Structures are given as structure tokens and as C-alpha cells.
Amino acid sequence: MSIDNPETEFTVVINDQEQYSIWPTYRPVPAGWKTVGVTGNKTECLEHINQSWTDQRPRRLRDARAS
């Protein structure tokens, strides 16, 4: 299966800086990333990210500005 195939299933992943991405479910999630429990086609996963990731700065930068 290819990531360009419209039938490819993805999972939404997040890293320790709370940055989101999508990853094909047929591949192991890379080190430093974990799943958030959302899977679907590319469009569905990207829609979830757009709704969830409202501040795209890394967590360390958000935390530094809050201090």
C-alpha cells in the first residue's frame, strides 16, 4: 500500500512537544511519537489535527512565553 493511495488508513500521532502528524497504520509509529486514538483516511485525520492543534508552536516555546 502507498501513502498516496486514497484507501490508505492513517493514524494521528503526537510528539513530546505536542506537534501533530499523520502516519500510515501499516507502518510502526516512529520513536518519539505516540498515537492519539484517531484513525481514518488522510482527510479525516488532517481534519482532526486542524481542530485539535490550534497553536502550532512547540510546547517548549508556548511554555517559555507563558512564564
Side-chain angles (χ1 to χ4, degrees):
M1 183 132 335
S2 162
I3 61 171
D4 294 327
N5 183 332
E7 295 182 22
T8 299
E9 184 177 66
F10 291 89
T11 188
V12 178
V13 293
I14 191 169
N15 66 16
D16 64 342
Q17 290 299 310
E18 297 177 355
Q19 297 170 301
Y20 287 82
S21 189
I22 61 173
W23 196 253
T25 56
Y26 64 87
R27 300 194 64 192
V29 174
W33 294 84
K34 62 183 180 182
T35 62
V36 300
V38 175
T39 59
N41 66 37
K42 187 175 186 177
T43 300
E44 293 166 337
C45 289
L46 292 175
E47 285 175 6
H48 174 78
I49 290 172
N50 285 335
Q51 293 172 1
S52 302
W53 195 14
T54 57
D55 186 345
Q56 294 187 349
R57 296 176 295 166
R59 184 177 65 195
R60 70 181 179 283
L61 183 58
R62 291 192 316 265
D63 291 349
R65 295 232 178 197
S67 316

